[in-house]
Amino acid sequence: MKSKLKLFAVSILVTACAMLTFIYAKRSPTNPAVAAMKRVSENLFATSQIEPDDLKSLLRAGITAIVDLRPDGEDADQTSSAEMERAVRTIGMKFYYIPVPHGDIPEQSVTALAAVLSQQKSRALLYCRSGNRAVRTLALAEAQRAGGPSAEEIRSMVIAAGFEADDLKDQIARRIARR
């Protein structure tokens, strides 16, 4: 009788440990880079500066490509694009570097991002210092994409990501008109 009771107690303990392990594994992401990602479309996310230590968590979150829109050298402690590319490729993700300076968004950056996104079918993460340039560049790329979203849909996408692009309204309208 005592051995059956011990066996029962051990089985309860093992089951509890298994359940706690499962719950722990499925909990909300604790990595700040994963938690900070803003969904801008079905397979596209934007965020602020990420670091090589964030990449494994991002990969576990389903990100398969990283698009760095932050020019090298903006901050002394910023991870360079070359270092990020090495780290990204080491774990089997794709990496794209499309530097966008502060101020006006260069046409070549919009074109390069549009080209990357036209090839990318899985989850991608765009980043810059704050996420703002990434989302704004994406808004312009989406505005010129054939069959892309309307101006209002682009505006909603930008707002949902926590940014504004009212100053791009005319540029977005012109790009949509040229589709």
Side-chain angles (χ1 to χ4, degrees):
M1 180 71 172
K2 284 186 178 180
S3 64
K4 287 184 179 179
L5 189 56
K6 283 183 181 179
L7 182 61
F8 178 73
V10 167
S11 68
I12 294 293
L13 184 62
V14 168
T15 302
C17 286
M19 291 299 290
L20 288 173
T21 301
F22 178 77
I23 291 168
Y24 181 77
K26 294 295 183 183
R27 73 192 189 289
S28 296
T30 56
N31 180 287
V34 174
M37 290 188 327
K38 303 285 188 187
R39 181 183 295 271
V40 290
S41 70
E42 184 178 344
N43 286 322
L44 236 104
F45 299 81
T47 195
S48 55
Q49 178 73 47
I50 59 172
E51 299 298 331
D53 290 344
D54 299 322
L55 295 174
K56 288 183 181 174
S57 293
L58 293 168
L59 184 61
R60 282 193 297 274
I63 300 297
T64 60
I66 302 292
V67 182
D68 177 359
L69 290 111
R70 187 173 190 194
D72 284 336
E74 280 191 328
D75 286 326
D77 63 345
Q78 170 186 342
T79 303
S80 72
S81 60
E83 186 179 345
M84 284 302 296
E85 181 173 14
R86 278 191 300 277
V88 166
R89 294 197 188 279
T90 297
I91 63 170
M93 297 168 79
K94 294 178 183 174
F95 181 82
Y96 305 94
Y97 179 55
I98 306 169
V100 177
H102 286 286
D104 291 338
I105 299 168
E107 185 59 37
Q108 65 266 24
S109 298
V110 175
T111 302
L113 181 59
V116 165
L117 297 178
S118 71
Q119 300 169 16
Q120 187 62 35
K121 302 301 178 214
S122 56
R123 289 180 143 195
L125 177 69
L126 304 134
Y127 80 89
C128 60
R129 185 183 61 78
S130 68
N132 187 44
R133 281 175 283 175
V135 171
R136 290 167 56 81
T137 306
L138 174 64
L140 294 176
E142 284 292 279
Q144 70 188 33
R145 181 171 58 88
S150 69
E152 186 55 38
E153 290 168 325
I154 292 170
R155 183 179 177 279
S156 295
M157 172 194 76
V158 171
I159 290 170
F163 300 101
E164 292 183 20
D166 289 341
D167 60 314
L168 299 178
K169 185 178 178 179
D170 291 340
Q171 288 185 56
I172 289 170
R174 281 193 304 272
R175 288 168 191 269
I176 288 173
R178 288 189 302 232
R179 287 182 182 166

